[in-house]
Amino acid sequence: PDMMALAGADYEMARSGERSARYSPDRLVADDPDVIIVACCGFDVDRNARDALAMAHHAWWRALRAVRL
């Protein structure tokens, strides 16, 4: 959360000192964010990239404002 605040993001998944929570697809679709950063704590860059690419197979992901081409 602190790094997101420093970047100027409106980050609602956790407060400083708390662990980030999982975001359900339903909540992500409802929020329809302008930008999505996949940064799963505790995993390396390769794992984060795999997780991000795996979401691309879902119609709900492709319909998001941050993802549409």
Side-chain angles (χ1 to χ4, degrees):
D2 296 329
M3 296 297 286
M4 298 300 289
L6 287 171
D10 182 13
Y11 187 73
E12 299 178 3
M13 293 180 72
R15 290 193 169 96
S16 181
E18 295 178 349
R19 299 187 89 158
S20 294
R22 287 184 171 209
Y23 237 56
S24 70
D26 290 338
R27 183 171 176 192
L28 196 56
V29 168
D31 289 350
D32 198 17
D34 294 322
V35 176
I36 299 169
I37 299 170
V38 178
C40 305
C41 297
F43 297 114
D44 62 16
V45 172
D46 290 335
R47 169 65 190 271
N48 278 284
R50 284 194 310 271
D51 288 350
L53 289 172
M55 289 186 279
H57 298 289
H58 298 281
W60 59 263
W61 176 259
R62 294 188 305 270
L64 294 170
R65 175 184 13 233
V67 178
R68 283 181 272 185
L69 299 176

